[in-house]
Amino acid sequence: MTQSADNRIRTTLSVDAIDQREEFLLSLLAGASELALAGYDKQKADGAAPPIG
């Protein structure tokens, strides 16, 4: 394998790893948002939630 081909493979693997990390972090953020909204909805139902905005 040539050096150029080896570098292309490494670059492709690096981009795939970055995409996977980005996807994972976005899923964590989405989960945290859902938990925060669920907690707010519970507080609102209990009459203890402050207004948003």
Side-chain angles (χ1 to χ4, degrees):
M1 182 179 313
T2 66
Q3 183 69 27
S4 177
D6 187 43
N7 286 342
R8 279 194 302 266
I9 290 171
R10 289 174 194 249
T11 300
T12 301
L13 291 174
S14 295
V15 169
D16 288 345
I18 290 169
D19 287 345
Q20 288 175 354
R21 281 187 293 230
E22 183 179 283
E23 205 171 299
F24 174 72
L25 291 173
L26 287 173
S27 69
L28 281 179
L29 181 60
S33 297
E34 286 180 33
L35 284 174
L37 288 173
Y40 180 80
D41 287 343
K42 175 152 179 18
Q43 285 183 339
K44 190 174 178 183
D46 294 342
I52 294 180

